[in-house]
Amino acid sequence: MITLQAPASKSVSHRTLIAASLARGVSLVHHALSSVDLQRTRDILHTAGAVMEDLGDGSWRVRGMECGPQGGADVPADCYVGESGTTCRLLTAVLAAGRGSFRIHGVERMHERPIGALTAALRALGARVDFEEKEGYPPLVLTADGLSGGDVDMSVDESSQFLSGLLLAAPFCRAPLRVSLTGKKVVSWPYVGLTLQVMEDFGVAFVVETLDGTVWRETPWKSVTEARPGELRVTVNPGAYQSGEYRVEGDWSGASYLLAAGAVGRESSLVTGLRADSLQGDRAILDILRTMGASVEVRDDGILVSPSALRGVTVDMGACPDLVPTVAMTAAYASGDTRLENIAHLRIKECDRIAACAAELSRIGVHVEEGKDFLTVHGMGPQLPSIPEGTVFRAYNDHRIAMAASLLGLGSGQRVVVDDPAVVRKSFPEFWNVWSALA
């Protein structure tokens, strides 16, 4: 058995540092992830008025903004998001609740990722948004004078982070903000739950309502597992985030590679640092691995996954899209076909993750079919072909593709080589050090 430590949650780290920066007074945040994406978020929060002191080992002392986010008066404050979609989407909404102007921009790929659904809602609430190149896409200049509150519709067909950003900004509105879900589907609702959890932890009051026939009824937010457009709304009252001391839980997304390694490798993996009752949507990796036939045991000291004969499954991945690369690579070891559905939005991530998974699996002879919103992997059973000497897998500048591809060497005891190993700094900087215990 090999014991592996899960990284801190990237999603919860972003939200906790944002909330601490919006709170009045000083907060202590422990076990926050240190990664490139989090650096982008911290830099922008600092630019907007928060003061952050690095205490080491993932702990930060955060002095919140006195009067909300403050931008430039004559020249827009520079807000560089790099490759971080989470930073871009959450902070675009949060900054709109402040005062002044902000220029939000990133790498070239970020300028290809849509943000129009969010900025339409922000405009309806009083923000001015000027796109520099293409309507609905960064780079953009945001001019803010607070948000009005009231009723606003929000489609999360492309990303639940649009809704999460609005919710984080809502306490600064001049009147209660009621956000009603629209669109055709809800993507990654569990991430909205993480946002609500952080807001509740920081003392923000909100109400979740679901439609019962023709009547709106208040619903305990933790009981929501599926949110249908037109049938769910969230109301947040004006108020203040409360400073305090907070700890970030382990990351189920980053841990998914370590857990899957136990199922497809030669030794069991015991992954520590995870909350078995976590609200993170990627906790679904346990159920997916179990359904595929893996041996999974939740213990007091961690999650134990042992080598198993795997079988193909059909899974709706809409609530856990970041798991798609992990499950796709794991499926190569299964007997039979694995079909991953409801994943169209993966084409607008750091790369086209559907195409990337298909290409890298094909590199070692695994037959894959891809469609607009699905990926089918024809598993080859427990023994994948040996990786030809000199093979270099492509990362596509995407941390999740690089880490997931590493699973392909475990069956034959080979160490996978990727063309850009440093890309893991985005979410799991210590990945290769942790992975060295396995391969």
Side-chain angles (χ1 to χ4, degrees):
M1 182 179 71
I2 300 173
T3 301
L4 307 165
Q5 173 70 38
S9 169
K10 183 164 77 82
S11 298
V12 179
S13 294
H14 280 293
R15 288 157 173 79
T16 302
L17 288 172
I18 290 171
S21 297
L22 295 174
R24 295 174 181 172
V26 176
S27 296
L28 293 176
V29 177
H30 302 293
H31 196 234
L33 181 68
S34 295
S35 72
V36 173
D37 278 13
L38 266 299
Q39 182 65 53
R40 299 285 81 79
T41 289
R42 290 195 302 268
D43 287 349
I44 295 173
L45 291 170
H46 174 73
T47 296
V51 177
M52 299 192 182
E53 180 185 355
D54 186 356
L55 303 179
D57 295 325
S59 293
W60 294 83
R61 179 179 287 112
V62 182
R63 182 175 296 280
M65 306 166 189
E66 291 296 325
C67 303
Q70 300 297 306
D74 300 318
V75 177
D78 185 68
C79 301
Y80 178 67
V81 303
E83 301 174 351
S84 178
T86 304
T87 303
C88 184
R89 291 159 177 163
L90 297 186
L91 288 185
T92 295
V94 167
L95 296 176
R99 301 288 189 277
S101 62
F102 308 85
R103 181 174 185 263
I104 298 167
H105 63 112
V107 299
E108 182 177 353
R109 174 63 178 174
M110 183 58 59
H111 297 169
E112 299 171 357
R113 299 176 70 176
I115 199 171
L118 174 59
T119 53
L122 296 176
R123 282 170 167 167
L125 296 170
R128 175 178 172 180
V129 182
D130 296 301
F131 293 101
E132 295 183 354
E133 297 175 3
K134 182 179 179 181
E135 185 74 17
Y137 294 80
L140 62 89
V141 174
L142 175 70
T143 305
D145 188 24
L147 298 175
S148 63
D151 290 316
V152 68
D153 293 337
M154 171 55 63
S155 168
V156 291
D157 287 357
E158 294 168 332
S159 175
S160 66
Q161 291 171 353
F162 297 158
L163 175 58
S164 286
L166 267 186
L167 294 175
L168 289 166
F172 287 85
C173 290
R174 290 185 286 273
L177 176 65
R178 184 165 65 189
V179 186
S180 298
L181 268 63
T182 60
K184 297 179 180 178
K185 62 180 181 180
V186 169
V187 178
S188 309
W189 171 256
Y191 286 103
V192 180
L194 291 180
T195 302
L196 295 176
Q197 179 70 77
V198 169
M199 292 172 66
E200 184 174 87
D201 290 345
F202 278 80
V204 173
F206 57 85
V207 174
V208 175
E209 297 174 282
T210 53
L211 192 62
D212 182 6
T214 60
V215 178
W216 287 100
R217 300 192 186 280
E218 184 173 343
T219 304
W221 68 268
K222 289 185 180 180
S223 70
V224 176
T225 57
E226 181 182 52
R228 298 180 181 275
E231 298 181 16
L232 185 140
R233 64 191 189 187
V234 184
T235 302
V236 183
N237 293 317
Y241 286 86
Q242 303 300 314
S243 57
E245 189 166 1
Y246 304 93
R247 181 175 180 81
V248 176
E249 64 180 271
D251 185 53
W252 282 90
S253 305
S256 70
Y257 318 104
L258 313 180
L259 295 164
V264 304
R266 299 180 176 185
E267 298 184 70
S268 300
S269 294
L270 178 68
V271 182
T272 63
L274 297 169
R275 280 186 57 174
D277 62 346
S278 174
L279 295 174
Q280 294 178 52
D282 287 347
R283 183 185 176 280
I285 188 65
L286 294 188
D287 292 333
I288 294 171
L289 290 175
R290 286 191 181 108
T291 302
M292 296 181 76
S295 171
V296 178
E297 181 184 354
V298 178
R299 309 185 345 173
D300 291 341
D301 58 345
I303 312 294
L304 180 68
V305 182
S306 300
S308 310
L310 303 179
R311 56 181 175 270
V313 295
T314 297
V315 191
D316 184 330
M317 304 295 291
C320 49
D322 284 344
L323 293 181
V324 168
T326 308
V327 178
M329 303 304 173
T330 302
Y333 291 88
S335 298
D337 299 343
T338 294
R339 181 180 171 94
L340 308 180
E341 299 178 335
N342 195 14
I343 59 174
H345 48 294
L346 264 67
R347 294 198 184 276
I348 55 171
K349 293 287 189 176
E350 284 84 340
C351 71
D352 180 339
R353 286 182 177 165
I354 299 175
C357 287
E360 297 316 293
L361 285 166
S362 298
R363 193 181 295 277
I364 60 168
V366 178
H367 181 48
V368 182
E369 299 172 47
E370 60 171 291
K372 181 179 179 181
D373 68 346
F374 75 88
L375 182 72
T376 298
V377 180
H378 300 281
M380 301 181 69
Q383 296 300 323
L384 289 180
S386 295
I387 299 172
E389 185 175 352
T391 297
V392 177
F393 289 87
R394 286 189 62 194
Y396 303 86
N397 198 37
D398 191 321
H399 54 133
R400 301 212 180 279
I401 300 299
M403 291 185 281
S406 300
L407 291 164
L408 298 177
L410 292 183
S412 56
Q414 295 174 276
R415 188 175 182 88
V416 163
V417 177
V418 298
D419 62 355
D420 183 14
V423 74
V424 301
R425 293 179 299 178
K426 182 176 176 64
S427 64
F428 194 167
E430 294 301 315
F431 176 78
W432 298 114
N433 290 335
V434 174
W435 197 256
S436 65
L438 295 165

